[in-house]
Amino acid sequence: EQRGVIFDLDGVIVDTAKFHFLAWRKLANDLGFDITLEQNEQLKGVSRIHSLEQILNWGGKSISKEEFDRLMITKNEDYLSRISGMSEKDLLPGVKKVLDYLTENNIPYSLGSASKNARPILKSLNIYDRFEAIVDGNDVSKAKPDPEVFLIASEKLKIKPENCVVFEDSVAGVEAAKRANMLSIGIGQEDVLREADHIFADFTQIELEFIEKIVTN
Ligand code: BG6
Ligand code: MG
């Protein structure tokens, strides 16, 4: 049966995860507290709204709805200014090789990201047109670890969930993939992503033989 692949964006295809962290950290600092890298692991893959709720919770802050909305806008503007000028050279090492392999072998792939900025980011990386489907933060009602984003991607690819492989750098995303009944490949630290079916530090550690194995029967 035909297999398909679903890629998370931030921290998998491009190193935007660090800019999300820096922008959230600045927001916390402006409110008078700090967030750690360890806390940030819990923010990866999590929607913008839930991230802000979590951060305010850590800082023990309660704010009005208006202030909340304002902070979401400020954070996004800060984040966008940090990633402006992104281009093909910002694709994480090894990613291009895997996309090329999938394209050449007619293995369809989709994006499955929590970000509402995913489409413009893929365009600036010059890989937008290569995706068979794109599912992002604008298309879902339930955030990771809910499997919705990956299930919609599997529908759009017209490939059964159990035949989909997900690349993820976040704890929430690995859980979402598992709940969607998909094979999960963690990209990042082993101690963080231990629930994943396979874990690699980054794409340069993945041999094409491995990709071939997981996308064929
Ligand atoms: C996820 C990131 O992909 O998207 C999170 O891991 C981010 O850090 C979330 O908060 C939402 O992204 P955006 O671009 O819509 O604010
Ligand atoms: Mg991610």
Side-chain angles (χ1 to χ4, degrees), residues 8-12 17 44-45 144 168-170:
D8 173 47
L9 175 68
D10 299 307
V12 168
K44 286 185 180 174
K144 297 174 189 174
E168 255 296 344
D169 72 316
S170 73

Side-chain angles (χ1 to χ4, degrees), residues 10 20 24 43-46 48 51 75 113-117:
D10 299 307
H20 277 296
W24 285 130
L43 299 178
K44 286 185 180 174
V46 173
R48 204 181 300 171
S51 299
K75 185 270 175 177
S113 167
S115 173
K116 296 190 168 178
N117 296 304

Side-chain angles (χ1 to χ4, degrees), residues 20-217:
H20 277 296
F21 172 63
L22 291 172
W24 285 130
R25 189 173 196 192
K26 162 113 182 25
L27 178 146
N29 290 171
D30 289 348
L31 291 170
F33 61 98
D34 202 8
I35 56 170
T36 64
L37 274 171
E38 205 178 340
Q39 285 174 315
N40 186 55
E41 289 302 330
Q42 296 175 50
L43 299 178
K44 286 185 180 174
V46 173
S47 68
R48 204 181 300 171
I49 291 186
H50 287 124
S51 299
L52 183 52
E53 284 169 354
Q54 175 68 267
I55 290 165
L56 293 172
N57 193 25
W58 285 329
K61 302 273 170 200
S62 76
I63 58 173
S64 67
K65 165 94 174 64
E66 291 68 38
E67 179 70 352
F68 189 97
D69 292 345
R70 197 186 60 76
L71 288 178
M72 293 244 289
I73 292 169
T74 308
K75 185 270 175 177
N76 197 49
E77 283 171 352
D78 179 15
Y79 171 69
L80 290 177
S81 74
R82 290 173 196 269
I83 63 164
S84 71
M86 213 161 48
S87 71
E88 221 171 313
K89 65 173 182 358
D90 293 297
L91 276 172
L92 276 168
V95 171
K96 186 79 177 3
K97 192 179 73 175
V98 172
L99 297 183
D100 286 346
Y101 173 87
L102 296 173
T103 303
E104 280 159 22
N105 290 280
N106 297 315
I107 311 291
Y109 51 92
S110 168
L111 195 79
S113 167
S115 173
K116 296 190 168 178
N117 296 304
R119 285 175 170 85
I121 290 174
L122 290 181
K123 283 180 187 157
S124 60
L125 295 170
N126 206 18
I127 53 172
Y128 181 81
D129 295 328
R130 304 181 57 149
F131 287 79
E132 183 81 22
I134 292 172
V135 187
D136 71 11
N138 301 296
D139 305 309
V140 298
S141 57
K142 286 170 271 174
K144 297 174 189 174
D146 190 281
E148 183 184 24
V149 62
F150 295 143
L151 292 173
I152 297 176
S154 124
E155 256 171 52
K156 289 198 175 183
L157 289 173
K158 300 189 183 67
I159 293 176
K160 289 186 214 149
E162 62 264 36
N163 290 327
C164 291
V165 179
V166 173
F167 286 93
E168 255 296 344
D169 72 316
S170 73
V171 176
V174 167
E175 187 183 331
K178 294 212 110 134
R179 284 165 63 179
N181 198 20
M182 298 175 178
L183 187 77
S184 56
I185 315 294
I187 302 294
Q189 288 168 257
E190 206 150 335
D191 56 334
V192 175
L193 300 173
R194 46 178 160 256
E195 298 301 322
D197 295 309
H198 301 271
I199 306 166
F200 297 93
D202 57 54
F203 274 88
T204 65
Q205 304 302 307
I206 307 181
E207 306 276 354
L208 285 180
E209 285 71 34
F210 174 80
I211 302 289
E212 185 182 4
K213 203 172 75 197
I214 58 175
V215 297
T216 50
N217 292 299

